[in-house]
Every structure is written in structure tokens, then in C-alpha cells.
Amino acid sequence: MTLTTGTTAGPGTGQTRSPARWAILAVICLAQFAAVLDNTVLNVAIPSLTRDLDATTSDVQWIVNAYSLVQSGLLLAAGSAADRYGRKRLLLAGLTVFGAGSLAAGLADTTGQLTAARAGMGIGGALLLTTTLAVVVQVFDAAERPRAIGVWGAVNALGFAAGPPIGGLVLAHFHWGALFLANLPVVVFALLAVRLLVPESRAPGGGPPDLLGVLLSTVGMTAVVLAITQGPESGWSSPRVLLPAAGGLLVLAVFARWEHHVRHPMLDPHFFRDRRFVGAVVGVVLITFGSAGVLFLLTQQLQFVHGYSPLAAGLHLAPFALTVVVLNATGLTARVVGRLGHPLAIASGMSLLAGGFVAVALSAGYGPLLLGLLLMGTGCAFANPAIVEAVMSAIPPDRAGAGAGVDGTMAEIGNSLGVAALGAVLNARFAALLPAAAAGAGSLPAALAAARTEADRAAVLEAFTAGISTSQLLGAAAVLVGGCLAAVLLRSAGRVVHPVPPPEDVGPRPDDNASRGLAEKIHE
């Protein structure tokens, strides 16, 4: 199946429209949802894992982090591979690997087996996150692409927020292995639908694969994300943090230098000469920094301060994700972003998001908290699709996989930094405000256990609430600054022609006439 079969012309775009494009979007969003969900669904299963597998704290950390570590390390390489070898082919490979990892995780009976299975799922997740966005860019023309990207982004938000409540529902009735085995019917259906519906596409030419670039980017990104995730637990001055951080940054510096000199780079450094691209990337990092950090704090606030169960806490956060989904699914986001333009949409959306963070930080009950969640959802609904569209429109469409890899990598860095940095602020503020009776306690439960009187317990809760509020306000400031900076960079760039030079030895692939036709239509 090719994009030119049975399609109609998109208005004023010069690109054809696949009649199956919305069905394709539904299928890839289903796959995307499963991949994103596995970033958070396991958090509520930690007590069950500790009991059933006799897991230590270190074991649990590796089980939880193995997925995100492998995924973040491979995103750049996965995006480049999708452009080179075919986005449909890599999407099918990602589904297969993700399904196999899910089966292994569901049947695991030791911590080592579960950690290895989660790492395998991370490989599949990296392929899914990049290929799904790349397929959206290829299937939808410029007129419909903002709405399609908005739906894709809404599924991201829904998957991230739905993890705790879905995990809680599953664990209320089934063994924790069901969290992974539930992916299998989704994977089987998606494999069949992708094979039938999704057209193949890839970048023309490209030269030999940049194997050294793949190795350097994977090692460097994995080391940096590992350092960030270990910071709150081990201490930022610990060798367990400093060594991987320094090593990862050094490897990434070597990677950047290599990409400047290799003839066929995995990630073309010319992308970063475009202010639109840089501005959008800044927005990606800071919006995910604030969102991930604040939502991480909110789950603790609802459980530790308000006394909700993990399932109830997840359900109380649902208005945030539902607002994002409704605004994008109805097409309202695409219309607003189209009228405002990327710079103003990003600035407005991230300002609303920051306002929601402030409302949440200052809330004393669920009413003000609900207002904050609605503001956060509205801000995300406007800012996220505009940022992703800005990233993808700043590079040639035939490098959509590479753009998706950069977008996913920056989002992973923002997520990890947000949780680590805002969590560190919470811990520092909490420790500074603890009463003398609980001084030195490393957690809220430990501080409450050390408190001797009701007044001490009230002071402990007040210290924890103050720490959360301070961290949430810092997240609001980061998002607001990020929105303004991204908007300024995007506006100052104006309408700039893509600075990426064409490959030197582009030539047709005799075995891929459909992809060649797609590339020719894109560049018309």
C-alpha cells in the first residue's frame, strides 16, 4: 500500500491524502498509548513487587527505571533508523519487541528477569515513540497535520496520567503480571492493523549507517538519564551520580563532534542552526520538566497529605488528562493554534500551564486543585501540539523520524530532570522546616513516626505541604520562562528556509518505489 493509492489531494498542500489516514492515526495512537502507559503504570505495583519477588529498594528502582533508561538512550537512534530503513518496518519491529518484552515481564518470577524484560520493552517503546510521530507527519498533509499531532500528543498525556488509576484497577483484581500481559491483545491488533493500513515510507538515499553515532548517542543519553534518576536517591555529589553524568556528557560531546564531521550523520547538526528548531526544543524540555515534576509531587500530595489511595489519587488527577484529550479530539486546539501561530500558542499555553501550577501549589482543598488541573490541561492542550508541530516543521519531512527522536529525547530529559530537581527541592525544604522532634527524618512517614505530639505531627505535615508548594511554584516559573523563551526564538526566526543541505549521494532505491514517490511528493 502506498500513499498515492486511492488518495485525494489536500487543499493547497501539493500532498495527497490517504483515505485511511484517520484509521491509521487511531491504530498508531493505540500503540503509542501502550508505550507511554508503561512509564507510570508500574508505580502503584511497587508494594506487590516487593512482597512477591522479595525485591530490595535497589531492585525496585532498576525494575521501574529499566524501561525509561533504555527507551531514552535509544530514541535518537530509533528515529534515524526509521528514516533510513522504513517507518512502517520499524513500527512493526517496535510492536513485536514491545509485545515480547511484555510477555516476558508478565511471566517473570525473579527481579532479574523482570528488569531484563522491562529493558526489552524499552527498546520497543523507543521504536514506537519515534515511528508513530513520523508516520503522522507522512500520512497527514500540512492542513490536517496540526490536528493529528494534537491527537497524538493528547494520547501521550492520557497515557502518562492514566498509569496510576489503570494500574490500581488491575491490581485490585489480578496479579501484577497482568499489567504487562494486558499489552498483548493491543500489540496483536496493532500489528495486524499496521500491516494492512500504514504505508511504507523512508528517506531517499542516506549513505551507509552511522554506527558509531548510534553507539555514542545511546551510551551518552543512557548515562546522563541514569545520573539524573539516581540523583535524589544517592545524592547529587555521590560518585554514582557524578561519574555517569560526567561520562555521559563527555560521550555526547564526542557524538556532537563526530556528527559534524561524518559524511552521513545519524542526527544532522544543521538542525540546531535553525532557531525554530532550537526554540521548540527548549519548549519541549521545560514543559516536560514542569509537568512531570508537578504531577509527581501531586500524587504524593494527594496520598500523603489528603490520605487518598493510589487509585483514588489517580482518579482525582483525571481532569488534567481528560481536558487535554477533549480539547484535542474536538479539533479546538488545532483551530486555536492555527489562528495564534506557534509562538503565541506556545507562550499562551505554557502561561496557562504555569497558572495551573500556581493554583495547585496554593490550593487548600480539591476545589482550587480542580481549577488548577483544568488550567494545566488547557495549557498542555495548546502548548504541546504547537511545540511538536514546531519541531517537526523545522526539519525536512523526509527526516521525520530524526525529528521525532529529538522530540522524544528532549521530553525524556525534561521528565527525568523535573522529577529529580523538584523532588530535591521538596526534600530540602521539608528537611529545613521539620520540627526538632523529627529532625533528620528522610521521608514523611519516618518524620510522622518520630513526631511525639499532635502538634509535632501537624508541623510535619505543614513542612511537607510547604515543600511541595515551593517545588510546584518552581515548576511554574520554569514553564513560564520556557514558554517565553521558546516563543521569542520562534518569532525571531520568522519564516526561515530549512538550512539542512540535501544528501550528497541521494539516489533511488530500486526496491522502494513507493517511498521514492512519497519523498518526491513531499519535496514538491
Side-chain angles (χ1 to χ4, degrees), residues 288-335:
T288 52
F289 175 94
S291 300
V294 169
L295 287 174
F296 169 73
L297 297 171
L298 260 178
T299 57
Q300 296 188 60
Q301 183 179 7
L302 291 173
Q303 293 180 66
F304 291 137
V305 177
H306 297 288
Y308 294 128
S309 67
L311 174 59
L315 293 175
H316 278 79
L317 292 176
F320 164 70
L322 291 177
T323 302
V324 177
V325 172
V326 169
L327 291 177
N328 280 288
T330 58
L332 179 61
T333 292
R335 291 194 294 272

mmCIF file of all heavy atoms in Angstrom, residues 288-335:
data_model
loop_
_atom_site.group_PDB
_atom_site.id
_atom_site.type_symbol
_atom_site.label_atom_id
_atom_site.label_comp_id
_atom_site.label_asym_id
_atom_site.label_seq_id
_atom_site.Cartn_x
_atom_site.Cartn_y
_atom_site.Cartn_z
ATOM 1 N N THR A 288 7.985 19.651 29.757
ATOM 2 C CA THR A 288 8.000 18.323 30.383
ATOM 3 C C THR A 288 8.659 18.379 31.758
ATOM 4 O O THR A 288 8.268 17.629 32.664
ATOM 5 C CB THR A 288 8.728 17.305 29.495
ATOM 6 O OG1 THR A 288 10.024 17.804 29.131
ATOM 7 C CG2 THR A 288 7.943 17.041 28.225
ATOM 8 N N PHE A 289 9.647 19.252 31.927
ATOM 9 C CA PHE A 289 10.273 19.456 33.237
ATOM 10 C C PHE A 289 9.202 19.823 34.266
ATOM 11 O O PHE A 289 9.084 19.205 35.335
ATOM 12 C CB PHE A 289 11.323 20.560 33.145
ATOM 13 C CG PHE A 289 11.947 20.943 34.462
ATOM 14 C CD1 PHE A 289 13.133 20.364 34.880
ATOM 15 C CD2 PHE A 289 11.363 21.904 35.273
ATOM 16 C CE1 PHE A 289 13.713 20.719 36.091
ATOM 17 C CE2 PHE A 289 11.933 22.267 36.488
ATOM 18 C CZ PHE A 289 13.113 21.673 36.891
ATOM 19 N N GLY A 290 8.423 20.852 33.952
ATOM 20 C CA GLY A 290 7.409 21.302 34.898
ATOM 21 C C GLY A 290 6.282 20.307 35.070
ATOM 22 O O GLY A 290 5.871 20.009 36.193
ATOM 23 N N SER A 291 5.775 19.766 33.969
ATOM 24 C CA SER A 291 4.616 18.875 34.037
ATOM 25 C C SER A 291 4.930 17.595 34.795
ATOM 26 O O SER A 291 4.181 17.185 35.694
ATOM 27 C CB SER A 291 4.131 18.540 32.625
ATOM 28 O OG SER A 291 3.750 19.698 31.937
ATOM 29 N N ALA A 292 6.037 16.943 34.432
ATOM 30 C CA ALA A 292 6.386 15.682 35.101
ATOM 31 C C ALA A 292 6.668 15.909 36.577
ATOM 32 O O ALA A 292 6.228 15.134 37.434
ATOM 33 C CB ALA A 292 7.594 15.049 34.418
ATOM 34 N N GLY A 293 7.408 16.973 36.879
ATOM 35 C CA GLY A 293 7.745 17.249 38.268
ATOM 36 C C GLY A 293 6.523 17.558 39.112
ATOM 37 O O GLY A 293 6.352 17.032 40.218
ATOM 38 N N VAL A 294 5.631 18.409 38.588
ATOM 39 C CA VAL A 294 4.450 18.803 39.361
ATOM 40 C C VAL A 294 3.492 17.624 39.535
ATOM 41 O O VAL A 294 2.923 17.430 40.620
ATOM 42 C CB VAL A 294 3.750 20.002 38.682
ATOM 43 C CG1 VAL A 294 2.385 20.249 39.302
ATOM 44 C CG2 VAL A 294 4.611 21.255 38.811
ATOM 45 N N LEU A 295 3.287 16.820 38.490
ATOM 46 C CA LEU A 295 2.399 15.667 38.626
ATOM 47 C C LEU A 295 2.982 14.641 39.602
ATOM 48 O O LEU A 295 2.239 14.004 40.355
ATOM 49 C CB LEU A 295 2.165 15.032 37.261
ATOM 50 C CG LEU A 295 1.252 15.818 36.318
ATOM 51 C CD1 LEU A 295 1.225 15.170 34.942
ATOM 52 C CD2 LEU A 295 -0.159 15.921 36.885
ATOM 53 N N PHE A 296 4.306 14.484 39.589
ATOM 54 C CA PHE A 296 4.964 13.604 40.550
ATOM 55 C C PHE A 296 4.697 14.087 41.981
ATOM 56 O O PHE A 296 4.388 13.287 42.876
ATOM 57 C CB PHE A 296 6.460 13.578 40.259
ATOM 58 C CG PHE A 296 7.303 12.934 41.319
ATOM 59 C CD1 PHE A 296 7.298 11.565 41.499
ATOM 60 C CD2 PHE A 296 8.112 13.703 42.149
ATOM 61 C CE1 PHE A 296 8.081 10.968 42.480
ATOM 62 C CE2 PHE A 296 8.900 13.125 43.126
ATOM 63 C CZ PHE A 296 8.870 11.748 43.293
ATOM 64 N N LEU A 297 4.797 15.379 42.195
ATOM 65 C CA LEU A 297 4.535 15.938 43.520
ATOM 66 C C LEU A 297 3.065 15.831 43.894
ATOM 67 O O LEU A 297 2.717 15.594 45.056
ATOM 68 C CB LEU A 297 4.974 17.404 43.556
ATOM 69 C CG LEU A 297 6.464 17.674 43.356
ATOM 70 C CD1 LEU A 297 6.719 19.166 43.191
ATOM 71 C CD2 LEU A 297 7.277 17.136 44.515
ATOM 72 N N LEU A 298 2.184 16.015 42.890
ATOM 73 C CA LEU A 298 0.752 15.974 43.172
ATOM 74 C C LEU A 298 0.309 14.594 43.659
ATOM 75 O O LEU A 298 -0.536 14.490 44.557
ATOM 76 C CB LEU A 298 -0.024 16.342 41.907
ATOM 77 C CG LEU A 298 -0.551 17.772 41.822
ATOM 78 C CD1 LEU A 298 -1.243 17.998 40.489
ATOM 79 C CD2 LEU A 298 -1.484 18.078 42.968
ATOM 80 N N THR A 299 0.860 13.547 43.067
ATOM 81 C CA THR A 299 0.481 12.208 43.511
ATOM 82 C C THR A 299 0.867 11.990 44.971
ATOM 83 O O THR A 299 0.116 11.348 45.730
ATOM 84 C CB THR A 299 1.152 11.135 42.633
ATOM 85 O OG1 THR A 299 2.570 11.309 42.653
ATOM 86 C CG2 THR A 299 0.660 11.225 41.197
ATOM 87 N N GLN A 300 2.008 12.523 45.374
ATOM 88 C CA GLN A 300 2.413 12.415 46.780
ATOM 89 C C GLN A 300 1.519 13.268 47.673
ATOM 90 O O GLN A 300 1.143 12.856 48.780
ATOM 91 C CB GLN A 300 3.863 12.858 46.931
ATOM 92 C CG GLN A 300 4.859 11.978 46.202
ATOM 93 C CD GLN A 300 6.277 12.355 46.545
ATOM 94 O OE1 GLN A 300 6.695 12.302 47.704
ATOM 95 N NE2 GLN A 300 7.036 12.745 45.531
ATOM 96 N N GLN A 301 1.197 14.472 47.205
ATOM 97 C CA GLN A 301 0.349 15.366 47.982
ATOM 98 C C GLN A 301 -1.017 14.725 48.243
ATOM 99 O O GLN A 301 -1.529 14.758 49.371
ATOM 100 C CB GLN A 301 0.183 16.689 47.235
ATOM 101 C CG GLN A 301 -0.631 17.744 47.977
ATOM 102 C CD GLN A 301 -0.728 19.034 47.169
ATOM 103 O OE1 GLN A 301 -0.309 19.096 46.031
ATOM 104 N NE2 GLN A 301 -1.288 20.062 47.778
ATOM 105 N N LEU A 302 -1.612 14.133 47.213
ATOM 106 C CA LEU A 302 -2.937 13.534 47.368
ATOM 107 C C LEU A 302 -2.901 12.314 48.278
ATOM 108 O O LEU A 302 -3.841 12.079 49.040
ATOM 109 C CB LEU A 302 -3.485 13.153 45.990
ATOM 110 C CG LEU A 302 -3.860 14.315 45.072
ATOM 111 C CD1 LEU A 302 -4.232 13.809 43.686
ATOM 112 C CD2 LEU A 302 -5.010 15.127 45.661
ATOM 113 N N GLN A 303 -1.824 11.532 48.222
ATOM 114 C CA GLN A 303 -1.761 10.315 49.036
ATOM 115 C C GLN A 303 -1.298 10.601 50.462
ATOM 116 O O GLN A 303 -1.919 10.134 51.425
ATOM 117 C CB GLN A 303 -0.818 9.307 48.373
ATOM 118 C CG GLN A 303 -1.346 8.766 47.050
ATOM 119 C CD GLN A 303 -0.406 7.768 46.408
ATOM 120 O OE1 GLN A 303 -0.172 6.678 46.942
ATOM 121 N NE2 GLN A 303 0.147 8.127 45.270
ATOM 122 N N PHE A 304 -0.208 11.351 50.618
ATOM 123 C CA PHE A 304 0.367 11.554 51.951
ATOM 124 C C PHE A 304 -0.352 12.621 52.765
ATOM 125 O O PHE A 304 -0.493 12.500 53.979
ATOM 126 C CB PHE A 304 1.847 11.916 51.836
ATOM 127 C CG PHE A 304 2.704 10.788 51.352
ATOM 128 C CD1 PHE A 304 3.697 11.008 50.412
ATOM 129 C CD2 PHE A 304 2.529 9.500 51.827
ATOM 130 C CE1 PHE A 304 4.490 9.976 49.958
ATOM 131 C CE2 PHE A 304 3.317 8.457 51.383
ATOM 132 C CZ PHE A 304 4.306 8.690 50.443
ATOM 133 N N VAL A 305 -0.800 13.692 52.105
ATOM 134 C CA VAL A 305 -1.433 14.800 52.824
ATOM 135 C C VAL A 305 -2.938 14.595 52.926
ATOM 136 O O VAL A 305 -3.531 14.761 53.996
ATOM 137 C CB VAL A 305 -1.107 16.149 52.148
ATOM 138 C CG1 VAL A 305 -1.828 17.289 52.866
ATOM 139 C CG2 VAL A 305 0.399 16.382 52.138
ATOM 140 N N HIS A 306 -3.571 14.236 51.794
ATOM 141 C CA HIS A 306 -5.026 14.093 51.788
ATOM 142 C C HIS A 306 -5.491 12.680 52.088
ATOM 143 O O HIS A 306 -6.689 12.447 52.272
ATOM 144 C CB HIS A 306 -5.584 14.546 50.436
ATOM 145 C CG HIS A 306 -5.340 16.000 50.148
ATOM 146 N ND1 HIS A 306 -5.999 17.016 50.800
ATOM 147 C CD2 HIS A 306 -4.479 16.609 49.290
ATOM 148 C CE1 HIS A 306 -5.577 18.187 50.344
ATOM 149 N NE2 HIS A 306 -4.643 17.970 49.431
ATOM 150 N N GLY A 307 -4.567 11.712 52.121
ATOM 151 C CA GLY A 307 -4.927 10.364 52.529
ATOM 152 C C GLY A 307 -5.603 9.513 51.476
ATOM 153 O O GLY A 307 -6.223 8.497 51.811
ATOM 154 N N TYR A 308 -5.491 9.859 50.190
ATOM 155 C CA TYR A 308 -6.101 9.058 49.135
ATOM 156 C C TYR A 308 -5.286 7.799 48.860
ATOM 157 O O TYR A 308 -4.064 7.782 49.029
ATOM 158 C CB TYR A 308 -6.211 9.865 47.835
ATOM 159 C CG TYR A 308 -7.158 11.038 47.896
ATOM 160 C CD1 TYR A 308 -6.739 12.307 47.515
ATOM 161 C CD2 TYR A 308 -8.482 10.878 48.313
ATOM 162 C CE1 TYR A 308 -7.605 13.395 47.554
ATOM 163 C CE2 TYR A 308 -9.351 11.956 48.354
ATOM 164 C CZ TYR A 308 -8.908 13.214 47.977
ATOM 165 O OH TYR A 308 -9.767 14.278 48.032
ATOM 166 N N SER A 309 -5.965 6.752 48.404
ATOM 167 C CA SER A 309 -5.269 5.558 47.913
ATOM 168 C C SER A 309 -4.643 5.886 46.560
ATOM 169 O O SER A 309 -4.993 6.891 45.931
ATOM 170 C CB SER A 309 -6.265 4.408 47.757
ATOM 171 O OG SER A 309 -7.183 4.701 46.711
ATOM 172 N N PRO A 310 -3.706 5.035 46.071
ATOM 173 C CA PRO A 310 -3.136 5.291 44.742
ATOM 174 C C PRO A 310 -4.193 5.393 43.645
ATOM 175 O O PRO A 310 -4.104 6.245 42.762
ATOM 176 C CB PRO A 310 -2.213 4.093 44.523
ATOM 177 C CG PRO A 310 -1.814 3.677 45.899
ATOM 178 C CD PRO A 310 -3.024 3.925 46.754
ATOM 179 N N LEU A 311 -5.215 4.522 43.708
ATOM 180 C CA LEU A 311 -6.267 4.574 42.701
ATOM 181 C C LEU A 311 -7.058 5.869 42.811
ATOM 182 O O LEU A 311 -7.325 6.538 41.802
ATOM 183 C CB LEU A 311 -7.201 3.371 42.862
ATOM 184 C CG LEU A 311 -8.433 3.362 41.966
ATOM 185 C CD1 LEU A 311 -8.037 3.399 40.495
ATOM 186 C CD2 LEU A 311 -9.298 2.130 42.267
ATOM 187 N N ALA A 312 -7.441 6.250 44.031
ATOM 188 C CA ALA A 312 -8.208 7.483 44.211
ATOM 189 C C ALA A 312 -7.394 8.700 43.805
ATOM 190 O O ALA A 312 -7.918 9.642 43.196
ATOM 191 C CB ALA A 312 -8.657 7.611 45.671
ATOM 192 N N ALA A 313 -6.101 8.687 44.113
ATOM 193 C CA ALA A 313 -5.247 9.804 43.710
ATOM 194 C C ALA A 313 -5.199 9.929 42.193
ATOM 195 O O ALA A 313 -5.289 11.031 41.633
ATOM 196 C CB ALA A 313 -3.833 9.609 44.269
ATOM 197 N N GLY A 314 -5.071 8.786 41.517
ATOM 198 C CA GLY A 314 -5.052 8.818 40.058
ATOM 199 C C GLY A 314 -6.354 9.331 39.480
ATOM 200 O O GLY A 314 -6.358 10.114 38.525
ATOM 201 N N LEU A 315 -7.476 8.927 40.062
ATOM 202 C CA LEU A 315 -8.770 9.384 39.574
ATOM 203 C C LEU A 315 -8.968 10.880 39.815
ATOM 204 O O LEU A 315 -9.586 11.573 38.994
ATOM 205 C CB LEU A 315 -9.893 8.585 40.245
ATOM 206 C CG LEU A 315 -9.963 7.099 39.867
ATOM 207 C CD1 LEU A 315 -11.039 6.392 40.682
ATOM 208 C CD2 LEU A 315 -10.230 6.938 38.375
ATOM 209 N N HIS A 316 -8.449 11.390 40.914
ATOM 210 C CA HIS A 316 -8.578 12.820 41.181
ATOM 211 C C HIS A 316 -7.725 13.659 40.236
ATOM 212 O O HIS A 316 -7.972 14.856 40.070
ATOM 213 C CB HIS A 316 -8.195 13.128 42.637
ATOM 214 C CG HIS A 316 -9.301 12.873 43.625
ATOM 215 N ND1 HIS A 316 -9.614 11.613 44.079
ATOM 216 C CD2 HIS A 316 -10.177 13.719 44.240
ATOM 217 C CE1 HIS A 316 -10.629 11.686 44.932
ATOM 218 N NE2 HIS A 316 -10.994 12.949 45.040
ATOM 219 N N LEU A 317 -6.713 13.045 39.627
ATOM 220 C CA LEU A 317 -5.895 13.750 38.641
ATOM 221 C C LEU A 317 -6.465 13.640 37.230
ATOM 222 O O LEU A 317 -5.958 14.291 36.304
ATOM 223 C CB LEU A 317 -4.467 13.190 38.646
ATOM 224 C CG LEU A 317 -3.632 13.464 39.895
ATOM 225 C CD1 LEU A 317 -2.288 12.754 39.791
ATOM 226 C CD2 LEU A 317 -3.419 14.957 40.085
ATOM 227 N N ALA A 318 -7.498 12.840 37.056
ATOM 228 C CA ALA A 318 -8.043 12.577 35.723
ATOM 229 C C ALA A 318 -8.489 13.832 34.971
ATOM 230 O O ALA A 318 -8.352 13.882 33.743
ATOM 231 C CB ALA A 318 -9.194 11.582 35.824
ATOM 232 N N PRO A 319 -9.037 14.870 35.635
ATOM 233 C CA PRO A 319 -9.462 16.054 34.868
ATOM 234 C C PRO A 319 -8.350 16.679 34.034
ATOM 235 O O PRO A 319 -8.629 17.253 32.969
ATOM 236 C CB PRO A 319 -9.938 17.020 35.962
ATOM 237 C CG PRO A 319 -10.407 16.129 37.059
ATOM 238 C CD PRO A 319 -9.468 14.975 37.048
ATOM 239 N N PHE A 320 -7.118 16.567 34.487
ATOM 240 C CA PHE A 320 -5.997 17.108 33.709
ATOM 241 C C PHE A 320 -5.906 16.418 32.352
ATOM 242 O O PHE A 320 -5.921 17.058 31.294
ATOM 243 C CB PHE A 320 -4.696 16.923 34.489
ATOM 244 C CG PHE A 320 -3.456 17.074 33.665
ATOM 245 C CD1 PHE A 320 -3.075 18.313 33.178
ATOM 246 C CD2 PHE A 320 -2.660 15.970 33.371
ATOM 247 C CE1 PHE A 320 -1.924 18.457 32.408
ATOM 248 C CE2 PHE A 320 -1.518 16.095 32.615
ATOM 249 C CZ PHE A 320 -1.148 17.337 32.125
ATOM 250 N N ALA A 321 -5.833 15.085 32.362
ATOM 251 C CA ALA A 321 -5.701 14.349 31.105
ATOM 252 C C ALA A 321 -6.958 14.460 30.259
ATOM 253 O O ALA A 321 -6.878 14.600 29.027
ATOM 254 C CB ALA A 321 -5.389 12.883 31.398
ATOM 255 N N LEU A 322 -8.122 14.425 30.879
ATOM 256 C CA LEU A 322 -9.366 14.498 30.115
ATOM 257 C C LEU A 322 -9.505 15.831 29.401
ATOM 258 O O LEU A 322 -10.009 15.895 28.272
ATOM 259 C CB LEU A 322 -10.558 14.259 31.050
ATOM 260 C CG LEU A 322 -10.694 12.838 31.606
ATOM 261 C CD1 LEU A 322 -11.867 12.743 32.575
ATOM 262 C CD2 LEU A 322 -10.867 11.833 30.465
ATOM 263 N N THR A 323 -9.075 16.909 30.045
ATOM 264 C CA THR A 323 -9.121 18.224 29.391
ATOM 265 C C THR A 323 -8.247 18.239 28.144
ATOM 266 O O THR A 323 -8.656 18.747 27.088
ATOM 267 C CB THR A 323 -8.656 19.320 30.372
ATOM 268 O OG1 THR A 323 -9.489 19.302 31.524
ATOM 269 C CG2 THR A 323 -8.744 20.696 29.729
ATOM 270 N N VAL A 324 -7.053 17.675 28.250
ATOM 271 C CA VAL A 324 -6.155 17.602 27.092
ATOM 272 C C VAL A 324 -6.802 16.810 25.966
ATOM 273 O O VAL A 324 -6.788 17.228 24.795
ATOM 274 C CB VAL A 324 -4.807 16.975 27.490
ATOM 275 C CG1 VAL A 324 -3.903 16.842 26.270
ATOM 276 C CG2 VAL A 324 -4.114 17.798 28.565
ATOM 277 N N VAL A 325 -7.387 15.670 26.302
ATOM 278 C CA VAL A 325 -7.983 14.800 25.283
ATOM 279 C C VAL A 325 -9.167 15.484 24.606
ATOM 280 O O VAL A 325 -9.286 15.493 23.374
ATOM 281 C CB VAL A 325 -8.412 13.467 25.916
ATOM 282 C CG1 VAL A 325 -9.215 12.630 24.918
ATOM 283 C CG2 VAL A 325 -7.200 12.687 26.390
ATOM 284 N N VAL A 326 -10.059 16.061 25.393
ATOM 285 C CA VAL A 326 -11.270 16.675 24.825
ATOM 286 C C VAL A 326 -10.918 17.837 23.901
ATOM 287 O O VAL A 326 -11.435 17.941 22.777
ATOM 288 C CB VAL A 326 -12.207 17.139 25.955
ATOM 289 C CG1 VAL A 326 -13.323 18.013 25.395
ATOM 290 C CG2 VAL A 326 -12.782 15.933 26.690
ATOM 291 N N LEU A 327 -10.037 18.715 24.325
ATOM 292 C CA LEU A 327 -9.690 19.885 23.509
ATOM 293 C C LEU A 327 -9.014 19.483 22.206
ATOM 294 O O LEU A 327 -9.206 20.129 21.171
ATOM 295 C CB LEU A 327 -8.795 20.834 24.305
ATOM 296 C CG LEU A 327 -9.462 21.553 25.482
ATOM 297 C CD1 LEU A 327 -8.440 22.410 26.228
ATOM 298 C CD2 LEU A 327 -10.613 22.426 24.994
ATOM 299 N N ASN A 328 -8.216 18.421 22.236
ATOM 300 C CA ASN A 328 -7.547 17.976 21.011
ATOM 301 C C ASN A 328 -8.462 17.143 20.130
ATOM 302 O O ASN A 328 -8.443 17.279 18.908
ATOM 303 C CB ASN A 328 -6.289 17.183 21.360
ATOM 304 C CG ASN A 328 -5.122 18.079 21.704
ATOM 305 O OD1 ASN A 328 -4.544 18.721 20.841
ATOM 306 N ND2 ASN A 328 -4.775 18.129 22.984
ATOM 307 N N ALA A 329 -9.253 16.264 20.721
ATOM 308 C CA ALA A 329 -10.109 15.383 19.933
ATOM 309 C C ALA A 329 -11.196 16.161 19.198
ATOM 310 O O ALA A 329 -11.616 15.767 18.104
ATOM 311 C CB ALA A 329 -10.738 14.320 20.833
ATOM 312 N N THR A 330 -11.661 17.261 19.773
ATOM 313 C CA THR A 330 -12.692 18.068 19.126
ATOM 314 C C THR A 330 -12.134 18.989 18.041
ATOM 315 O O THR A 330 -12.904 19.621 17.310
ATOM 316 C CB THR A 330 -13.423 18.926 20.164
ATOM 317 O OG1 THR A 330 -12.483 19.760 20.849
ATOM 318 C CG2 THR A 330 -14.154 18.043 21.171
ATOM 319 N N GLY A 331 -10.823 19.074 17.939
ATOM 320 C CA GLY A 331 -10.207 19.945 16.938
ATOM 321 C C GLY A 331 -10.065 21.383 17.387
ATOM 322 O O GLY A 331 -9.541 22.222 16.629
ATOM 323 N N LEU A 332 -10.507 21.705 18.627
ATOM 324 C CA LEU A 332 -10.426 23.087 19.091
ATOM 325 C C LEU A 332 -8.981 23.546 19.187
ATOM 326 O O LEU A 332 -8.642 24.684 18.812
ATOM 327 C CB LEU A 332 -11.117 23.213 20.454
ATOM 328 C CG LEU A 332 -11.096 24.605 21.101
ATOM 329 C CD1 LEU A 332 -11.799 25.616 20.208
ATOM 330 C CD2 LEU A 332 -11.739 24.570 22.488
ATOM 331 N N THR A 333 -8.114 22.681 19.682
ATOM 332 C CA THR A 333 -6.700 23.040 19.808
ATOM 333 C C THR A 333 -6.101 23.405 18.456
ATOM 334 O O THR A 333 -5.408 24.419 18.331
ATOM 335 C CB THR A 333 -5.913 21.872 20.423
ATOM 336 O OG1 THR A 333 -6.317 21.711 21.786
ATOM 337 C CG2 THR A 333 -4.425 22.144 20.386
ATOM 338 N N ALA A 334 -6.354 22.587 17.441
ATOM 339 C CA ALA A 334 -5.792 22.854 16.113
ATOM 340 C C ALA A 334 -6.267 24.195 15.574
ATOM 341 O O ALA A 334 -5.488 24.942 14.963
ATOM 342 C CB ALA A 334 -6.152 21.725 15.157
ATOM 343 N N ARG A 335 -7.551 24.517 15.781
ATOM 344 C CA ARG A 335 -8.071 25.805 15.286
ATOM 345 C C ARG A 335 -7.433 26.979 16.017
ATOM 346 O O ARG A 335 -7.062 27.986 15.399
ATOM 347 C CB ARG A 335 -9.598 25.841 15.447
ATOM 348 C CG ARG A 335 -10.329 24.879 14.515
ATOM 349 C CD ARG A 335 -11.814 25.186 14.454
ATOM 350 N NE ARG A 335 -12.478 24.939 15.727
ATOM 351 C CZ ARG A 335 -12.995 23.761 16.082
ATOM 352 N NH1 ARG A 335 -12.908 22.721 15.258
ATOM 353 N NH2 ARG A 335 -13.596 23.618 17.247
#
